[in-house]
Amino acid sequence: TYRVTSQLRGKLVNHSILFPQINSAAKVWLNGKLMDELGVCNADRTKYRPESRSVLIAIPDDTTTIELVVQVINYDYSRGGITVQPVIGPTSSLLRSINTRKGIENIFAGCLIAMFFYQITLFGLFQRGKPYLYIALICLFVAVRAMITSRGSYLVPELFPGISVAAWKKVEFFAVYAIAAIFPLYIYSLFPAHASKTILRFFVAAGIILCAVVAVTPYHIYGQLLNVFHIALIGGFIF
């Protein structure tokens, strides 16, 4: 439980407090009043349900003293809890900042999805079009990740709120870990006469193992393999 009190210089008008990211379940109180709940914040693990999104708390205009209390419960994330410093400011400014960031992420994801369809079309048109297939999958996976993480636009989970955060995390990490195999396959398909099949098999095996772990284990296990993926990705760049 986090608690902070602040004495304001004067009354604030149309101000809010923004928590850009809380990875887990949380409740936020302002001056003793419960303002928002993220997921299901319960110490009983069977009832607890995590969620990953930003939280915006409106400050009443007649407020001169702020007592902010945040209760966070986390059973899932290796980087759980309040991961980004809260911000206080004019509500319109905070909303503009949120919308601008989400808009940029969605434009980025939209460009990648357009590239995915373009590359898939080229794959269907050419007999030796495997490089187009691999680069299309890379574009798709990066675009999907940009639309399902709270650091991205979080567009897809907001469109399908009935799907659990745990399921979206599996999609996110599966898309990321698959690139460990797909990127070397792309390079090999461009230069088959020069690339080593032995090294390629190593990367493909690593990618398959990482994705399999995501499929059959919870987040607190497969999330620990992120550094393994980073090593594999750096190795793929060197290759």
Side-chain angles (χ1 to χ4, degrees), residues 112 115-124 126-143 175-176 178-192 195 197 200-201 203-204 208 233 239:
L112 287 172
M115 289 176 63
F116 163 76
F117 283 111
Y118 174 66
Q119 298 293 334
I120 281 293
T121 301
L122 293 178
F123 169 68
F126 294 97
Q127 186 175 2
R128 296 181 179 180
K130 283 187 177 181
Y132 301 120
L133 172 63
Y134 296 136
I135 199 67
L137 291 175
I138 291 173
C139 290
L140 178 63
F141 288 159
V142 175
V176 170
I179 293 176
I182 295 174
F183 180 68
L185 281 169
Y186 169 65
I187 299 300
Y188 179 82
S189 64
L190 290 177
F191 309 103
K197 282 189 176 182
L200 177 67
R201 292 191 188 101
F203 284 116
V204 172
I208 291 173
L233 190 61
F239 174 58

Side-chain angles (χ1 to χ4, degrees), residues 223-234:
Q224 300 298 322
L225 298 178
L226 192 58
N227 288 333
V228 176
F229 163 75
H230 289 154
I231 293 171
L233 190 61
I234 292 171

Side-chain angles (χ1 to χ4, degrees), residues 82-160:
I82 302 173
T83 59
V84 181
Q85 180 176 324
V87 179
I88 183 171
T91 303
S92 59
S93 177
L94 295 176
L95 288 173
R96 185 164 55 249
S97 174
I98 294 172
N99 292 333
T100 299
R101 178 181 59 79
K102 287 187 174 184
I104 292 172
E105 289 287 347
N106 284 329
I107 290 173
F108 169 73
C111 291
L112 287 172
I113 291 173
M115 289 176 63
F116 163 76
F117 283 111
Y118 174 66
Q119 298 293 334
I120 281 293
T121 301
L122 293 178
F123 169 68
L125 292 176
F126 294 97
Q127 186 175 2
R128 296 181 179 180
K130 283 187 177 181
Y132 301 120
L133 172 63
Y134 296 136
I135 199 67
L137 291 175
I138 291 173
C139 290
L140 178 63
F141 288 159
V142 175
V144 167
R145 185 184 183 279
M147 292 188 294
I148 65 175
T149 63
S150 54
R151 288 291 185 92
S153 69
Y154 207 62
L155 173 64
V156 179
E158 288 179 345
L159 291 175
F160 302 97

Side-chain angles (χ1 to χ4, degrees), residues 1-229:
T1 300
Y2 304 84
R3 178 178 177 271
V4 63
T5 58
S6 299
Q7 183 67 42
L8 305 179
R9 294 180 178 179
K11 294 182 180 179
L12 298 180
V13 178
N14 294 327
H15 273 59
S16 296
I17 301 171
L18 171 65
F19 293 84
Q21 185 178 18
I22 303 179
N23 278 333
S24 50
K27 288 182 178 180
V28 182
W29 286 267
L30 181 64
N31 293 343
K33 181 180 179 181
L34 180 62
M35 303 297 290
D36 199 359
E37 181 173 5
L38 185 69
V40 177
C41 194
N42 195 306
D44 185 345
R45 188 166 187 171
T46 60
K47 298 178 181 178
Y48 150 90
R49 181 174 60 81
E51 194 171 344
S52 181
R53 61 172 172 84
S54 60
V55 175
L56 188 66
I57 303 297
I59 302 173
D61 291 345
D62 60 349
T63 302
T64 56
T65 302
I66 290 177
E67 181 195 42
L68 188 66
V69 177
V70 184
Q71 184 184 61
V72 179
I73 296 179
N74 171 48
Y75 286 108
D76 292 293
Y77 301 108
S78 57
R79 297 181 178 89
I82 302 173
T83 59
V84 181
Q85 180 176 324
V87 179
I88 183 171
T91 303
S92 59
S93 177
L94 295 176
L95 288 173
R96 185 164 55 249
S97 174
I98 294 172
N99 292 333
T100 299
R101 178 181 59 79
K102 287 187 174 184
I104 292 172
E105 289 287 347
N106 284 329
I107 290 173
F108 169 73
C111 291
L112 287 172
I113 291 173
M115 289 176 63
F116 163 76
F117 283 111
Y118 174 66
Q119 298 293 334
I120 281 293
T121 301
L122 293 178
F123 169 68
L125 292 176
F126 294 97
Q127 186 175 2
R128 296 181 179 180
K130 283 187 177 181
Y132 301 120
L133 172 63
Y134 296 136
I135 199 67
L137 291 175
I138 291 173
C139 290
L140 178 63
F141 288 159
V142 175
V144 167
R145 185 184 183 279
M147 292 188 294
I148 65 175
T149 63
S150 54
R151 288 291 185 92
S153 69
Y154 207 62
L155 173 64
V156 179
E158 288 179 345
L159 291 175
F160 302 97
I163 300 177
S164 68
V165 175
W168 290 123
K169 280 293 179 183
K170 281 186 176 291
V171 173
E172 174 193 348
F173 275 79
F174 187 93
V176 170
Y177 287 168
I179 293 176
I182 295 174
F183 180 68
L185 281 169
Y186 169 65
I187 299 300
Y188 179 82
S189 64
L190 290 177
F191 309 103
H194 303 283
S196 169
K197 282 189 176 182
T198 302
I199 296 177
L200 177 67
R201 292 191 188 101
F202 167 79
F203 284 116
V204 172
I208 291 173
I209 292 171
L210 288 170
C211 290
V213 172
V214 171
V216 300
T217 65
Y219 174 83
H220 68 270
I221 294 178
Y222 67 76
Q224 300 298 322
L225 298 178
L226 192 58
N227 288 333
V228 176
F229 163 75

